[in-house]
Amino acid sequence: MKIIAEIGTSHGGNLEKAKRLIDCAVESGADYVKFQWVYADEILHPDTGFVNLPTGKIPLYQRFKELEVKPSFFEECLKYTHEKGALFMCSPFGIRSLEELLSIKPDAVKIASPELNHIPLLKKLAELRKNQNIPLVISSGVSHLSDIEEALSILGRENVTLLHCITSYPAPEDEYNLNLIPNLSRVFGIPCGVSDHSLDPVLVPSIAAALGGTMIEKHITLSKETDGLDDPVALTGEQFALMSHCIRQCEAAFRQYGENAKGYILKQLEEEYGERVEKIMGDGVKKLAQAEEANYGRTNRSLHFMRSMKAGEVINMEDIGVLRTEKILSVGLHPRFLDKVIGAKLTRDVEKGAGLQWEDFTIHN
């Protein structure tokens, strides 16, 4: 099982802190060190709402703006990661970050759950992968089976790993439904693992390993008390090392007992955690977890007006953003309809940030 230490944006734009996080990840047993290539306008509209931080309530868009760094930052992180003997993975959030990411030749690209339906991004990635068959990891939080199928129909399945995920921070262990790991692998014919946002460093990762997961992703932090967006749900280095040790113990069990190792591992976990193990395994049917039901459509992407416009105006590409709706804006049309929207004429006035609706425009063939 490959272990991903998700640094994300916990570095806060500070290169020295990023290097300390890389050191922590590698020393704690990570195979991959992962970052997020953030440009705020690829993710959110400026009017998307607020986020509560220890320093107060601030606009979420502005928080992402503060996390923007130059490409040279990631070049240095990639170089340093390689020097430490690990692999470099990163998530892009739009076309610009994708192209800049591929230009530094990462070891793998990760598509995060909210971008699973970012159709323009997926199409561009599929185009660029034709000449550079870089390993690809995609997360499937806050999604239906049809969403995964559509994404894979664009990206293909060669050199792709799927991560089951619950998009909730923290994610309740009991809702993880880890029997999805072997089921999704069979359905799509690709390796499957888990992106884990639960707080326990042992339970979800160990059960995932027992069920044949090939990859585990967990956030890592230097301290849960710092102001990184994901720091409260991340593992400290000591916790991450414990997780890595448990996963390697599961692998050793498979080497010793073969397929019988699954029962052996689960029995050991049940002796310590009781009936929680069975609950975490779930029924293996793909559905939205209760913790993420309210986020479907809001956390993932839809079409939004970038400026206020008047009835009669024609919609151009620069007028539309493929964005996360998040806090207060209205959810728009699915990104798959972007091509139909461009060139359409507005039938009524619209406000900046609002999600596009079919009633907003007419399409002229």
Side-chain angles (χ1 to χ4, degrees), residues 48-66:
T48 196
F50 293 81
V51 61
N52 292 313
L53 294 175
T55 53
K57 192 174 183 180
I58 67 167
L60 187 55
Y61 178 87
Q62 184 57 39
R63 182 73 173 107
F64 276 98
K65 286 294 290 184
E66 294 168 358

Side-chain angles (χ1 to χ4, degrees), residues 5-17:
E6 165 68 296
I7 289 174
T9 57
S10 291
H11 51 77
N14 183 302
L15 183 58
E16 290 309 309
K17 184 176 182 181

Side-chain angles (χ1 to χ4, degrees), residues 284-329:
V285 177
K286 175 58 178 169
K287 54 186 176 291
L288 295 175
Q290 185 177 348
E292 62 183 8
E293 284 179 349
N295 293 329
Y296 189 76
R298 303 198 71 83
T299 300
N300 33 24
R301 300 299 183 113
S302 64
L303 303 181
H304 290 262
F305 289 105
M306 296 307 295
R307 64 183 180 92
S308 297
M309 301 177 69
K310 298 292 186 182
E313 286 193 69
V314 173
I315 301 174
N316 295 310
M317 186 66 76
E318 61 268 22
D319 299 322
I320 305 301
V322 184
L323 304 172
R324 300 182 188 180
T325 301
E326 289 290 353
K327 306 300 178 184
I328 61 174
L329 299 178

Side-chain angles (χ1 to χ4, degrees), residues 6 9 16 23 29-30 65 70 73 82 93 114-115 134 143 166 182 192 202 226 257 263 280 282 323 341:
E6 165 68 296
T9 57
E16 290 309 309
D23 289 338
K65 286 294 290 184
K70 295 180 179 179
F73 177 94
H82 286 174
F93 297 100
E115 285 65 62
I134 187 169
S143 72
I166 295 180
C192 189
V202 174
T226 46
Y257 301 111
I280 293 168
L323 304 172
V341 168

Side-chain angles (χ1 to χ4, degrees), residues 55 59 88 90 92 108 113 122 133 143 150 152 165 167 193 199 212 235 243 248 257 272 294 308 324 361:
T55 53
F88 179 90
C90 189
S113 295
L122 302 186
N133 189 22
S143 72
E150 182 173 17
L152 289 174
C165 177
T167 305
L199 297 177
L235 300 184
M243 180 194 75
R248 299 312 178 205
Y257 301 111
E272 184 172 354
S308 297
R324 300 182 188 180
F361 58 89

